[in-house]
């Protein structure tokens, strides 16, 4: 077909299409796109892979359960010149009064029951003569100390008020690195504040804190002085942990902060409420994880007993230095820290079944769990 006839044949459909397009633009001006601007990116979805636009729902859900804690204690101090050679005789007298001053500290807490039980850190209220709690709704009241668990840096308070909002518990065992978290507390005493971050590690330990049972949730959400005892929540407003420490010599947030898992804190609370203190199982031995060379040498994984305290449950069960514990109550033991937690969860007075490898022979030993001494009395 000649080129002229081809264009003549195709010309009328093109013309008709152009006329239709012009009519559509005239009738529906909204179809016109501004040619001077680039196509806009789609707005992020309210949920899904991009995460929520706002975390206000989570904060509004959890914030009424987070309280500010103010403590005071009387501190006796010697006079400035009491040790000076010229004035010592004036002050070294039993009748000489000492200077007494009020020392204040601040922190945070979390209401975990409608009857007024509050979780906070032991170091927040340690030595306090008076504990004042300020609620999210502006109410203020004195708090009673129910008990403490210094080995887990947990303290339980009780307030007598009505219409309290208990926080919803989350599932720390399901927390993963990369999950969004928010820290709610009273940093620097400025009032309730919220910071945002992610979980950067779980099961963190070996930080040389006063917490004997280190099993921290690590986060980069800002946790500063005053946040201690406050809530670390997930993106749905559920409690994941109790904020407790920062990794910085200046005691200010440096992008690495830690929280005690909520389930561990609640175990401490339940025992304190029921018994007044936390009772943990104890065997009375020192053990280390087997090295790769040790596992190859002994042909098994486990923990090797380094020392046994005389007269302890381990001693009475005939455990000896050099024994390798592979199982505790039929659960395999990978490291000494895991063994510590397994034994701590055993009720004192209960049997503890131990599978032990001694000089190549597998033995089944039975110990009776004792009561773990507190950090203050343990040597």
């Amino acid at each position: 077909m000649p080129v002229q006839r081809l264009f003549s044949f195709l010309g009328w459909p093109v013309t008709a299409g152009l006329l239709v397009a012009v009519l559509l633009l005239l009738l529906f001006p909204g179809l016109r796109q501004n040619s001077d601007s680039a196509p806009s990116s789609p707005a992020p979805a309210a949920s899904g892979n991009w995460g929520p636009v706002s975390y206000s729902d989570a904060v509004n859900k959890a914030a009424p359960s987070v309280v500010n804690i103010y403590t005071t204690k009387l501190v006796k101090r010697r006079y400035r010149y009491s040790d000076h050679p010229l004035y010592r005789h004036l002050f070294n007298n039993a009748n000489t009064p000492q200077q007494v001053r009020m020392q204040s500290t601040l922190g945070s807490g979390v209401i975990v029951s409608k009857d007024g039980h509050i979780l906070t850190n032991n170091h927040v209220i340690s030595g306090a003569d008076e504990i004042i709690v300020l609620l999210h709704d502006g109410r203020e009241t004195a708090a009673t100390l129910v008990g403490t668990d210094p080995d887990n840096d947990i303290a339980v308070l009780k307030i007598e008020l009505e219409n309290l909002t208990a926080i919803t518990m989350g599932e720390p065992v399901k927390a993963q690195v990369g999950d969004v978290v928010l820290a709610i507390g009273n940093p620097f005493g400025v009032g309730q504040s919220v910071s945002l971050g992610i979980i950067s590690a779980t099961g963190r330990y070996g930080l040389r804190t006063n917490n004997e049972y280190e099993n921290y949730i690590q986060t980069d959400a800002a946790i500063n002085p005053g946040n201690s005892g406050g809530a670390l929540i997930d993106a749905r407003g559920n409690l994941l942990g109790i904020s407790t420490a920062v990794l910085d010599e200046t005691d200010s947030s440096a992008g690495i902060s830690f929280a005690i898992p909520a389930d561990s804190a609640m175990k401490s609370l339940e025992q304190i409420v029921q018994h007044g203190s936390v009772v943990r199982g104890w065997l009375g031995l020192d053990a280390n994880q087997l090295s790769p060379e040790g596992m190859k040498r002994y042909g098994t994984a486990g923990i090797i007993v380094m020392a046994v305290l005389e007269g302890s449950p381990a001693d009475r069960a005939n455990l000896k230095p050099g024994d390798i514990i592979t199982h505790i109550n039929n659960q395999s033991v990978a490291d000494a820290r895991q063994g510590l937690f397994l034994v701590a969860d055993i009720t004192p007075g209960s049997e503890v079944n131990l599978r032990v490898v001694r000089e190549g022979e597998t033995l089944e030993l039975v110990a009776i769990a004792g009561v773990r001494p507190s950090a203050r009395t343990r040597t």
Side-chain angles (χ1 to χ4, degrees), residues 316-365:
R316 291 192 293 270
N318 199 32
L319 269 171
K320 300 182 181 301
D323 286 349
I324 300 169
I325 302 174
T326 62
H327 293 76
I328 297 177
N329 284 344
N330 296 320
Q331 185 169 341
S332 60
V333 182
D335 57 60
R337 175 174 164 271
Q338 180 195 9
L340 175 69
F341 277 87
L342 286 174
V343 174
D345 285 338
I346 297 173
T347 303
S350 302
E351 290 188 351
V352 185
N353 297 301
L354 304 170
R355 189 175 304 165
V356 174
V357 175
R358 178 184 297 167
E359 297 180 355
E361 182 183 357
T362 300
L363 305 175
E364 298 287 345
L365 304 179

Side-chain angles (χ1 to χ4, degrees), residues 188-367:
F188 300 109
V190 299
Q192 191 176 96
S193 301
V194 183
S195 56
L196 173 70
I198 63 169
I199 293 176
S200 52
T202 58
R204 185 68 80 195
Y205 65 98
L207 305 179
R208 291 177 295 180
T209 65
N210 291 328
N211 189 345
E212 183 77 13
Y213 294 91
E214 293 181 332
N215 185 32
Y216 293 122
I217 298 171
Q218 179 180 305
T219 176
D220 65 349
I223 295 177
N224 291 289
N227 273 109
S228 291
L232 185 73
I233 62 172
D234 61 23
R236 296 175 179 83
N238 303 317
L239 184 68
L240 288 181
I242 301 297
S243 302
T244 187
V246 297
L247 189 62
D248 185 41
E249 293 181 356
T250 63
D251 287 335
S252 60
S253 178
I256 301 180
S257 305
F258 304 95
I260 301 167
D263 52 0
S264 174
M266 287 301 294
K267 285 182 180 179
S268 295
L269 178 141
E270 290 166 3
Q271 290 209 34
I272 288 171
V273 170
Q274 292 178 11
H275 310 295
S277 62
V278 176
V279 179
R280 295 186 171 93
W282 176 71
L283 291 180
L285 59 85
D286 185 20
N288 287 338
Q289 182 177 353
L290 274 178
S291 64
E293 294 79 9
M295 287 187 285
K296 185 176 180 180
R297 175 183 175 186
Y298 296 109
T300 185
I303 57 176
I304 184 168
V305 177
M306 307 301 296
V308 176
L309 183 64
E310 185 177 353
S312 67
D315 185 33
R316 291 192 293 270
N318 199 32
L319 269 171
K320 300 182 181 301
D323 286 349
I324 300 169
I325 302 174
T326 62
H327 293 76
I328 297 177
N329 284 344
N330 296 320
Q331 185 169 341
S332 60
V333 182
D335 57 60
R337 175 174 164 271
Q338 180 195 9
L340 175 69
F341 277 87
L342 286 174
V343 174
D345 285 338
I346 297 173
T347 303
S350 302
E351 290 188 351
V352 185
N353 297 301
L354 304 170
R355 189 175 304 165
V356 174
V357 175
R358 178 184 297 167
E359 297 180 355
E361 182 183 357
T362 300
L363 305 175
E364 298 287 345
L365 304 179
V366 177

